[in-house]
Amino acid sequence: MSHNIFASMRARVVQALHGVVPDLPEEVVARVEVTPAREPEHGDMATNAALVVAKAARRKPQDIAAALVAVLQADPLVAEAAVAGPGFVNLRLHADAWRRLLPVILRTGEAYGDSTAGAGVRINVEYVSANPTGPMHIGHCRGAVVGDALANLLAKVGHEVTKEFYVNDAGNQVTALAWAAYFRYLQALEVSITEADFSEIVPGGLQYRGDYLIPVGQALAAQFGASLLSADSWIGEPETWLIDVRDFTIAMMLEQITDDLAALGVVHDVFVRERDLVEQGEVHEAIARLELDGLVYRGTLEPPKGKTIDDWEPREQMLFRATAFGDDVDRPLQKSDGSFTYFANDIAYHAHKIARGFDLMIDVWGADHGGYVKRMQAATRAFGGTLDVVLCQIVHVLKGGQPLRMSKRAGTFITLRDLLDEVGPDAVRFTMLTRKSDAQMEFDIDQAVAQTRENPVFYVQYAHARCRSVLRAAGELLGAAAVAPESLAQVPLDSLENEAELALLRRLGAWPRTVEAAAAAREPHRIAFFLYDLAGDFHMLWNRGRDDSALRFLQADRPAETLARVALVAATAVAIRSGLAVMGVTPVEEMR
RNA sequence: GGACCCGUAGCUCAGCUGGAUAGAGCGUCGCCCUCCGAAGGCGAAGGUCGCACGUUCGAAUCGUGUCGGGUCCGCCA
């Protein structure tokens, strides 16, 4: 059930258009838009209807616009219609058309803005998907927030959404992790060996030297005692301990990651483990199916030009014919040791998702995976699926006006947990959504906690707190029953006629179309900007009351007007909560 | 050499999928307030939308080229 006033006006415009210009092709009508007017003098809304059909109708846009105006002026919602510019039709609605949104909003509650635009389309949103080799850091954080908010947004427009985490627990990385954990295990048992000496033993050298594995080593010692050592209390043969240590460590890391995510408010519905896919033979199955379709062959790749690779030598390998689906080159499926590449596993994973019946997959990745998009989309198309990728660009963290250079070696490595401790989950989530995800962003820690307008989190929360404050005071003045949503939904609203009040009303009316547009564009940041603007409208109204006490919400001697204003305030709070819910941010009742 | 992302006000960024005179916050300048309807308010200045062609009624938005910044480029994930 949609309460989108722009959608209903569009329906009226299209109906009028059919009367004015018969036999219009569907695809032409589809381009008709009804959008909010940018300038208040232009009215409330504008439509491009006459402009987009002019060519098909073989008539001048202004003529069609004039004919539309004649029809639309008779519409009971329309106060004024006029031709403007090259053939726009500007519409000014009766104030009542806007006012009657309030009961709808109050009765709908936080579901205001929901729609059925996505009904029947199942979407899998995969995000975070970090290696379980260490704690979550800032780089993961943006993707986590964007993915989570996007999933909420898609659900709000009616999609059936699954939030999914792909655990990369099958590659060399987790073997390296096991070695690093084993070193900490030795330390926990006070086996005397230096990091340098141990690194000599590790195939490829010791990685993951961070302190975060110390508790893992202790836990291993507590769990296994000395049983992972050799008989002479020295380093055991890897085949005797590697798998146990690896699985134990992955489990602990994964638990820490999910704990950190939970602290951020991110909870996935489904975890898929790469190792399970490998062990259940799904990779072989997926590759076999590609072979059947003639999309796999043995060949030799050209070395990349302009980039010298020291030990490059031409090598024949198993390749996926990605170029058949728009990629630049065909992509390797097998390493020289015969095992599958990460890409091959990922193909199996996406085939797995397609087989589970999703109509659309959306992967949220870091910018460093940008070069991977085309091949993955090629692979999913080979399986008859559709993949959208949302790339999240790098986040630079600022503190005290200075960039924090993140370096594991220098110890200025910011974990998600550090950030949450310093800023709090709500501010982290909101701030991460104040930029388009494919643009780099600077995360200014000082700004995220600032109690001023320059901090959008504060500004929006403050607006909600003020709304709640008004509602509490109204309850004391008029009685709790009088300010219950259903009571307010029946209040006469004629007294809402101040320009600032109407501006706020119009903004509230734009919420459903904002949600739909943001979902269609996969751009959750638009929600943050809408809320910032909405908060601005509300604060402006509040400030008017500060200058002129007649404009304050609560007027002890004029209960009818007070109730109408309280209804507007209550609806504003509802819309803010509706938006914050998409972002996963908790609305506050008061500023403290 | 190639692929992908980004170039909009001094700074950080929006710009609703091609619409009308390109917006916000910060900063700057001016005025007001310092009242718990506290954690400021009002107003002003400030832009050849990196640049050049092209597409069309119309371009910050689409295409091509170019310059600048970023990410990445066979057996890492």
Side-chain angles (χ1 to χ4, degrees), chain A residues 509-529:
Chain A
W511 173 236
R513 73 183 295 280
T514 301
V515 172
E516 282 193 18
R522 325 245 184 268
E523 291 184 345
H525 76 279
R526 294 193 198 183
I527 304 304
F529 282 90

Side-chain angles (χ1 to χ4, degrees), chain A residues 446-501:
Chain A
D446 301 324
Q447 181 180 308
V449 297
Q451 305 276 298
T452 64
R453 177 170 190 166
E454 66 189 279
N455 178 8
V457 192
F458 167 80
Y459 196 62
V460 170
Q461 291 283 29
Y462 192 20
H464 185 259
R466 277 179 159 175
C467 289
R468 301 301 295 173
S469 165
V470 170
L471 289 168
R472 283 191 298 269
E476 286 172 24
L477 186 67
L478 303 163
V483 298
E486 184 51 40
S487 307
L488 289 175
Q490 297 175 40
V491 159
L493 301 167
D494 297 345
S495 61
L496 293 177
E497 51 189 9
N498 175 276
E499 185 44 44
E501 291 169 337

Side-chain angles (χ1 to χ4, degrees), chain A residues 11-275:
Chain A
R12 289 157 190 261
V13 167
V14 167
Q15 192 180 6
L17 189 61
H18 280 128
V20 170
V21 186
D23 301 326
L24 278 171
E26 272 305 312
E27 62 271 20
V28 171
V29 175
R31 292 176 55 212
V32 172
E33 286 185 325
V34 174
T35 55
R38 207 182 322 182
E39 303 289 333
E41 309 91 74
H42 295 154
D44 296 332
M45 302 174 173
T47 178
N48 61 353
L51 287 163
V52 297
V53 304
K55 188 171 282 181
R58 307 176 71 86
R59 290 170 61 184
K60 287 208 285 193
Q62 280 93 345
D63 294 348
I64 300 170
L68 280 175
V69 164
V71 179
L72 289 168
Q73 270 171 338
D75 190 294
L77 290 185
V78 175
E80 188 186 332
V83 182
F88 289 101
V89 175
N90 288 336
L91 299 169
R92 188 181 304 282
L93 272 48
H94 288 292
D96 247 5
W98 295 104
R99 291 182 192 127
R100 72 181 59 162
L101 291 172
L102 287 185
V104 172
I105 298 170
L106 292 167
R107 289 185 172 122
T108 312
E110 287 179 37
Y112 179 53
D114 288 11
S115 84
T116 54
V121 179
R122 294 184 61 201
I123 302 183
N124 180 292
V125 184
E126 181 215 325
Y127 56 104
V128 186
S129 297
N131 291 330
T133 53
M136 298 273 298
H137 56 75
I138 290 218
H140 302 116
C141 176
R142 187 177 192 181
V145 172
V146 167
D148 205 51
L150 177 58
N152 293 340
L153 179 59
L154 294 169
K156 195 168 178 67
V157 297
H159 290 291
E160 188 186 319
V161 177
T162 296
K163 299 178 174 182
E164 188 148 317
F165 188 124
Y166 181 48
V167 185
N168 297 135
D169 56 354
N172 299 328
Q173 302 295 327
V174 290
T175 303
L177 177 74
W179 277 97
Y182 189 72
F183 176 62
R184 296 303 187 179
Y185 164 75
L186 296 180
Q187 284 188 320
L189 292 180
E190 296 179 341
V191 172
S192 64
I193 180 170
T194 66
E195 194 172 293
D197 289 343
F198 184 79
S199 188
E200 290 289 315
I201 307 170
V202 181
L206 178 63
Q207 300 179 47
Y208 305 116
R209 300 179 183 224
D211 292 345
Y212 64 89
L213 287 177
I214 292 174
V216 176
Q218 289 164 348
L220 280 166
Q223 174 80 21
F224 293 98
S227 68
L228 303 179
L229 299 177
S230 66
D232 55 354
S233 292
W234 197 238
I235 298 175
E237 290 301 312
E239 52 268 30
T240 65
W241 57 261
L242 189 66
I243 290 181
D244 284 341
V245 170
R246 183 194 68 196
D247 291 350
F248 186 91
T249 306
I250 289 173
M252 268 190 85
M253 285 295 110
L254 207 50
E255 191 180 333
Q256 186 182 342
I257 288 169
T258 51
D259 284 354
D260 287 354
L261 285 173
L264 182 63
V266 172
V267 178
H268 290 84
D269 302 316
V270 174
F271 287 74
V272 173
R273 305 182 70 123
E274 184 181 4
R275 182 172 301 282

Side-chain angles (χ1 to χ4, degrees), chain A residues 255-309:
Chain A
E255 191 180 333
Q256 186 182 342
I257 288 169
T258 51
D259 284 354
D260 287 354
L261 285 173
L264 182 63
V266 172
V267 178
H268 290 84
D269 302 316
V270 174
F271 287 74
V272 173
R273 305 182 70 123
E274 184 181 4
R275 182 172 301 282
D276 289 341
L277 296 177
V278 172
E279 290 177 353
Q280 288 158 19
E282 300 208 22
V283 183
H284 280 100
E285 273 177 43
I287 302 304
R289 184 165 154 197
L290 289 176
E291 281 177 323
L292 278 179
D293 292 338
L295 295 170
V296 176
Y297 69 100
R298 296 199 66 82
T300 307
L301 290 174
E302 293 290 310
K305 290 172 182 163
K307 182 194 181 234
T308 49
I309 298 174

